[in-house]
Each structure stands twice: as C-alpha cells, then as structure tokens.
C-alpha cells in the first residue's frame, strides 16, 4: 500500500463537500475479514446468488466463453477476493483437461495470499499467478502476452463505480484485449428496496462495522483521532435509482485530526461522509455502459431468483 496515495485520497475526500471516502480502502486485513462475514450474512444475497450460477451453470459458462480444451488461455480475475465462485469453474476446467493459467488480481495482498494457499491445497495442478494492485493499474499487464484471454469481474464489484467510470473501465479492458477475448461480468440486478436495503444495513451490524473500519484504518495508518463511536452507519436505496449508497454520519459537531499529515477536518452534527455506491443493473443499463466500448453481450446467466446476472461480453 502506498501511504502517500492513501493520504492524498483521504485528504481529497474529506476536504470535499459533501465529504467522500473511496470504497476501495475498505479492504485492509480487518476489512477483508468483515467482508467475508458480509458474504456469509443471510441478508447479503449477492454472493450466494452468483455462487449458485457457478454451481449450476458451469457448462453454459464454458460454452458461452467459447473455450476450446486444446487451446491454451489465460483466466484473469479482477478483484478475486477469496475466489470461492471461481474455484467451482477452475475445478470443472481442470477435470475436463482445459489448458489454462489463472491470474487472480486483487488490491488485498492478504486475500491473494490466502487464495493462493487454498488453491495450492485444493487444486494443486492449476497454475496460479497472483498480482497485487489496484485493478485500474493492472489492466496494462494484460498486454504482456498474446494468449486468448477471459477476464472475470465478478460479485458486482463494478457497482462501486459510476456508470461513466464503468464505461471507461470496460473500454480500457477492451483496449488491452484482442478480438474474440471475453469479459465475464457479474452484476447485481435492480430489485425492490425490501431485498436490497437489508443487504447493506444488516441488523447484526456487520456492515456498520465494515463501513466504520474505514475510519479505524485512517486512525491506524495516518495517526488519526476519529472517535468511531460518534459516527453512525446509514444505507439508502430506491428501486427507481437502482443505486445503494452508504454513508457515515457524524452524531455531533467535531474536529478530527490526522497527526500523520497534520490536517484537521471539521464535521457538523449530522454531516455525512459518502463511502460507497453499490449500483444495481438491468440489460438496458449494461448496454448503455458498453455502448462506446468494443464489447457486445453474447450471453446472460441468472440465478433462480433472478437476483443476479453474469453477462458474457465478447470483444469485437
Ligand atoms: C464488493 C463492492 C460488491 O457493493 O455489494 C458489501 C461491497 N459494501 N456491503 C457491494 C459491500 C457493503 C460490495 N462489493
């Protein structure tokens, strides 16, 4: 982790009005642990829904990706995390004797090390080459070889971006791939607030702890004095917008100092820090996002509840 970039991004966000903090900084060691707990919560349907697609539709995935058992390819995963879903596919590919290498990319070195260890035990024959980094920065490395590629971007991780950012990101992926390469994109679908909101505001308070951990991380890494007991977690979602938003709300007027940088930030009572967007999608939104990229939708797979979709996008 480059401290300078972190310090700069935090300063920029807290100097903004309204205040913001980048959601990519949730994932330190504690944040990784909390996110694993989130994925196991009954309210967080996203991971289970996508896992169901991987458990029940591997053959459709392989066909949709037009994989050939005799043609070596690279399976690149952006934001691999604990890789639970991908492992289902890796196992089928391995058993069916496909020739491939797996390149998990994640911002969390900790998550990557754990994933590598588990794969070494569970699927020792699969070649794994991990890369740590912000996935925006990792895209260029796609160009290093000319093997056919499938890029996996699962879990609705793209939902943390604005549509404009998502569009640019997918464009960049395409710019670093070649014709017929594929992007496998997992997204949460727009659905009613009574299903979405509890996923981002659970009664056990795990999401609250995940959100507040961002302030603890700032305290730890920038020697800050955020009193996390004076901030509340808040989640908002309306089906019309299709965007869940998370905030931290200051319960009192206060000034926070980051001794690492010497900077101070003032909060009024009730002032919010916007920490995350979790966008939900439908076909129309996906088509708008990819409109100016080199990708077309060739397949779509959904879970039995129609909560979640995996799209296969083909590079022209
Ligand atoms: C990992 C970005 C998909 O937005 O649903 C979970 C992160 N934030 N609970 C999401 C998250 C709060 C998650 N993504």
């Amino acid at each position: 982790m480059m401290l300078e970039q972190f310090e700069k991004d935090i300063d920029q966000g807290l100097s903004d009005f309204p205040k913001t903090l980048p959601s990519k900084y949730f994932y330190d060691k504690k944040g990784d642990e909390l996110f694993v707990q989130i994925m196991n919560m009954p309210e967080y349907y996203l991971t289970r829904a996508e896992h169901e697609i991987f458990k029940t539709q591997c053959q459709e995935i392989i066909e949709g990706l037009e994989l050939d058992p005799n043609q070596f390819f690279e399976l690149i995963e952006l934001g691999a995390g604990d890789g639970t879903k991908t492992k289902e596919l890796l196992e089928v590919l391995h058993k069916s004797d496909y020739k491939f290498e797996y390149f998990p990319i994640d911002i969390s070195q900790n998550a990557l090390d754990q994933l590598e260890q588990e794969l070494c035990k569970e699927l020792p024959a699969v070649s794994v080459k991990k890369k740590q980094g912000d996935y925006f920065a990792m895209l260029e490395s796609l160009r290093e070889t000319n093997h056919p590629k499938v890029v996996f971007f699962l879990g609705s991780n793209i939902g943390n971006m604005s549509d404009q950012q998502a569009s640019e990101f997918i464009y960049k992926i395409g710019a670093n791939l070649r014709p017929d390469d594929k992007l496998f994109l997992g997204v949460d679908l727009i659905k009613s607030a009574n299903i979405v909101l509890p996923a981002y505001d659970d009664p056990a308070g795990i999401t609250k702890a995940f959100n507040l951990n961002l302030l603890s991380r700032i305290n730890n890494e920038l020697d800050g004095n955020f009193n996390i007991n004076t901030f509340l977690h808040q989640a908002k979602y309306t089906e019309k917008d299709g965007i869940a938003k998370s905030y931290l709300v200051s319960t009192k007027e206060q000034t926070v100092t980051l001794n690492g940088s010497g900077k101070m930030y003032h909060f009024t009572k009730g002032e919010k820090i916007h920490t995350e967007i979790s966008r939900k999608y439908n076909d129309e939104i996906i088509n708008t996002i990819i409109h100016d990229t080199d990708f077309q939708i060739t397949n779509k797979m959904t879970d039995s509840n129609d909560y979640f979709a995996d799209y296969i996008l083909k590079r022209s």
Side-chain angles (χ1 to χ4, degrees):
M1 189 34 236
M2 297 206 314
L3 196 56
E4 264 171 52
Q5 189 62 45
F6 181 65
E7 188 177 311
K8 234 164 88 184
D9 290 346
I10 300 307
D11 178 52
Q12 196 176 49
L14 293 180
S15 304
D16 241 13
F17 187 80
K19 291 180 170 63
T20 60
L21 285 170
S23 54
K24 68 174 178 184
Y25 292 126
F26 283 135
Y27 304 93
D28 66 353
K29 190 161 191 300
K30 181 77 191 160
D32 287 345
E33 279 167 25
L34 286 165
F35 187 60
V36 169
Q37 288 184 42
I38 286 175
M39 290 192 288
N40 289 318
M41 305 188 319
E43 296 82 9
Y44 197 75
Y45 59 84
L46 291 81
T47 312
R48 263 188 314 280
E50 193 173 37
H51 198 179
E52 184 202 306
I53 296 172
F54 275 78
K55 278 195 278 205
T56 59
Q57 300 179 58
C58 262
Q59 224 42 59
E60 287 83 347
I61 294 174
I62 291 171
E63 274 163 39
L65 291 172
E66 300 179 309
L67 298 178
D68 173 349
N70 299 310
Q71 170 70 65
F72 177 85
F73 65 94
E74 295 180 4
L75 199 169
I76 298 125
E77 182 169 8
L78 304 173
D82 72 357
T84 309
K85 294 159 279 189
T86 316
K87 272 192 222 158
E88 304 277 356
L89 180 67
L90 295 179
E91 194 178 338
V92 174
L93 287 172
H94 170 60
K95 280 191 180 145
S96 315
D97 216 20
Y98 283 83
K99 320 270 179 296
F100 67 101
E101 276 181 329
Y102 176 49
F103 294 80
I105 297 173
D106 207 282
I107 193 161
S108 164
Q109 185 66 49
N110 167 56
L112 279 175
D113 293 344
Q114 253 174 278
L115 173 59
E116 187 184 47
Q117 260 185 27
E118 280 170 27
L119 283 170
C120 187
K121 264 189 275 165
E122 294 166 31
L123 290 167
V126 171
S127 159
V128 178
K129 295 187 173 161
K130 59 184 177 175
K131 284 187 192 173
Q132 191 274 331
D134 185 325
Y135 33 68
F136 281 90
M138 302 311 290
L139 291 184
E140 303 246 318
S141 73
L142 291 174
R143 287 177 167 278
E144 285 165 12
T145 71
N146 345 323
H147 297 125
K149 293 181 179 67
V150 294
V151 175
F152 278 65
F153 195 28
L154 304 180
S156 212
N157 277 324
I158 198 165
N160 280 168
M161 298 179 201
S162 69
D163 291 357
Q164 170 76 28
Q165 287 170 329
S167 197
E168 284 167 18
F169 186 64
I170 293 175
Y171 174 82
K172 271 191 203 155
I173 294 175
N176 289 289
L177 293 177
R178 303 197 308 166
D180 295 337
D181 286 344
K182 310 288 187 309
L183 173 59
F184 189 93
L185 183 66
V187 302
D188 194 16
L189 297 172
I190 294 184
K191 64 184 75 60
S192 63
N194 65 325
I195 300 170
V196 174
L197 256 186
Y200 294 93
D201 195 5
D202 58 295
I206 298 168
T207 309
K208 176 184 180 187
F210 178 70
N211 202 4
L212 283 169
N213 180 55
L214 197 47
L215 302 186
S216 304
R217 180 172 185 182
I218 295 171
N219 282 349
N220 295 336
E221 295 184 26
L222 299 176
D223 193 13
N225 68 350
F226 272 107
N227 177 353
I228 67 160
N229 299 320
T230 61
F231 287 84
L232 298 175
H233 168 72
Q234 190 180 67
K236 295 199 180 228
Y237 174 80
T238 53
E239 189 171 352
K240 182 171 77 53
D241 306 324
I243 301 177
K245 294 183 182 169
S246 299
Y247 302 89
L248 290 165
V249 188
S250 176
T251 58
K252 60 173 200 181
E253 180 167 3
Q254 56 182 316
T255 299
V256 172
T257 306
L258 307 187
N259 288 304
S261 59
K263 302 236 179 181
M264 287 164 57
Y265 305 96
H266 185 259
F267 292 81
T268 56
K269 183 174 177 180
E271 186 172 353
K272 293 178 185 183
I273 313 172
H274 182 201
T275 54
E276 188 173 40
I277 62 164
S278 300
R279 213 247 194 278
K280 314 301 169 196
Y281 302 85
N282 56 30
D283 290 357
E284 192 189 333
I285 297 167
I286 295 291
N287 272 313
T288 305
I289 286 173
I290 67 172
H291 186 266
D292 293 327
T293 74
D294 298 321
F295 287 103
Q296 279 83 40
I297 299 177
T298 59
N299 301 73
K300 179 189 183 186
M301 284 151 284
T302 57
D303 64 296
S304 54
N305 289 315
D306 269 328
Y307 282 175
F308 201 93
D310 282 306
Y311 288 91
I312 296 180
L313 309 180
K314 183 170 176 170
R315 164 75 151 77
S316 53

